């Protein structure tokens, strides 16, 4: 596809359930970023990949959050034992270089934990 | 830590009129980028305009322009000839030149009245 694709668009999870959110970046993009956007707030950084290497995961809120990009392309954000405070939109962005200045965002996955 | 503040939670403008959205930021860095992103209900972050801190000239993209005051750490967005399609949430964002994470403000919801 021409843009960053995220799936699913919407996810409802019962509290305690594990979820996996997928991001397909623009082909050839080196850098990939995940953000969490709570309702009515600006996005907050979660983690950053350069190819398959996770160079910064300091924004992950707890050890229940795990991200991977094993082949340097598709990335998956996994949340274990979901809690209500995990309800948010999860945005993925990719960039053709090592910087964030040319990043393109996907449409996000809205996660609701009930 | 860097912070970005948008003091206007909501703004409205009449179609064809001009509106200015405010943003201030705090940083001790000298090299950085500032951005304005538009987020419509589809949730996808769309880059509106970008400013490099070392450039004194204010960035312009068609009907969108910025007023960048580096000493005052102010970065406002002016939308001229407002159109109905400009209605969206607007986020101001900051990143260090070598950084891997965007810091976003809280957002300003812009309404365009016909």
């Amino acid at each position: 596809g021409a843009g960053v694709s995220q799936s699913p668009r919407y996810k409802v999870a019962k509290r305690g359930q594990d979820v996996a959110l997928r991001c397909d970046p623009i082909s050839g993009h080196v850098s990939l970023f995940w953000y969490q956007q709570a309702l009515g707030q600006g996005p907050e950084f979660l983690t950053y990949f350069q190819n398959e290497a996770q160079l910064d995961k300091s924004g992950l809120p707890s050890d229940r959050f795990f991200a991977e990009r094993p082949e340097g392309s598709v990335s998956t954000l996994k949340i274990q034992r979901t809690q209500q405070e995990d309800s948010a939109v999860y945005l993925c962005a990719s960039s053709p270089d090592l910087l964030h200045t040319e990043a393109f965002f996907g449409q996000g996955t809205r996660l609701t934990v009930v | 830590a860097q912070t970005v503040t948008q003091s206007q939670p909501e703004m409205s403008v009449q179609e064809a009129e001009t509106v200015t959205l405010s943003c201030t930021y705090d940083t001790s860095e000298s090299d950085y980028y500032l951005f304005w992103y538009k987020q419509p209900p589809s949730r996808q972050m769309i880059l509106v305009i970008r400013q490099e801190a070392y450039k004194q000239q204010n960035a312009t993209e068609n009907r969108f322009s910025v007023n960048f005051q580096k000493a005052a750490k102010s970065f406002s967005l002016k939308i001229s000839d407002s159109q109905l399609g400009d209605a969206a949430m607007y986020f101001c964002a900051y990143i260090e030149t070598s950084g891997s994470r965007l810091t976003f403000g809280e957002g300003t919801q812009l309404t365009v009245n016909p």
Side-chain angles (χ1 to χ4, degrees):
Chain A
V4 178
S5 177
Q6 293 187 245
S7 60
R9 288 293 311 279
Y10 302 89
K11 176 69 179 179
V12 178
K14 291 184 178 179
R15 191 170 55 184
Q17 187 178 356
D18 297 349
V19 299
L21 311 180
R22 178 187 170 105
C23 173
D24 282 87
I26 294 173
S27 179
H29 276 199
V30 171
S31 300
L32 186 144
F33 312 84
W34 283 98
Y35 287 83
Q36 180 190 57
Q37 185 177 19
L39 185 65
Q41 298 183 18
E44 293 192 355
F45 173 82
L46 292 176
T47 187
Y48 161 58
F49 289 88
Q50 186 183 113
N51 295 308
E52 69 277 7
Q54 189 175 21
L55 299 187
D56 187 350
K57 57 180 181 180
S58 61
L60 296 176
S62 78
D63 58 7
R64 296 186 296 104
F65 286 71
F66 173 76
E68 60 183 5
R69 194 187 185 197
E71 297 178 357
S73 177
V74 172
S75 178
T76 303
L77 176 66
K78 298 179 179 178
I79 309 173
Q80 297 176 326
R81 305 181 302 283
T82 53
Q83 301 177 5
Q84 281 193 314
E85 60 262 32
D86 300 335
S87 296
V89 173
Y90 290 85
L91 294 168
C92 176
S94 70
S95 175
D97 55 24
L98 304 182
L99 304 177
H100 210 321
T101 54
E102 299 287 344
F104 295 84
F105 281 83
Q107 291 184 296
T109 294
R110 180 181 295 281
L111 173 65
T112 303
V113 182
V114 297
Chain B
Q2 291 81 13
T3 59
V4 177
T5 302
Q6 294 178 248
S7 58
Q8 306 155 316
E10 298 176 349
M11 290 284 284
S12 64
V13 63
Q14 291 296 126
E15 195 175 3
E17 296 295 311
T18 296
V19 65
T20 299
L21 308 184
S22 301
C23 173
T24 58
Y25 59 95
D26 188 24
T27 183
S28 57
E29 301 292 326
S30 58
D31 293 330
Y32 51 88
Y33 288 82
L34 295 164
F35 306 83
W36 279 98
Y37 281 93
K38 170 184 177 181
Q39 188 178 43
S42 68
R43 300 197 304 263
Q44 185 172 17
M45 284 284 188
I46 301 167
L47 178 63
V48 174
I49 200 164
R50 175 177 62 222
Q51 175 79 43
E52 297 163 75
Y54 70 87
K55 289 187 176 180
Q56 293 187 339
Q57 187 173 6
N58 289 325
T60 299
E61 288 288 342
N62 300 314
R63 298 182 294 107
F64 300 87
S65 62
V66 298
N67 183 2
F68 173 47
Q69 301 289 329
K70 190 172 184 179
K73 297 180 181 176
S74 170
F75 183 61
S76 62
L77 174 70
K78 185 172 80 171
I79 306 175
S80 303
D81 186 25
S82 297
Q83 300 176 0
L84 295 177
D86 294 334
M89 182 72 86
Y90 285 81
F91 290 96
C92 178
Y94 161 100
I95 192 169
E96 296 173 23
T97 298
S98 60
S100 60
R101 63 171 69 190
L102 283 165
T103 299
F104 287 87
E106 307 92 334
T108 297
Q109 181 67 51
L110 178 66
T111 301
V112 181
N113 300 309

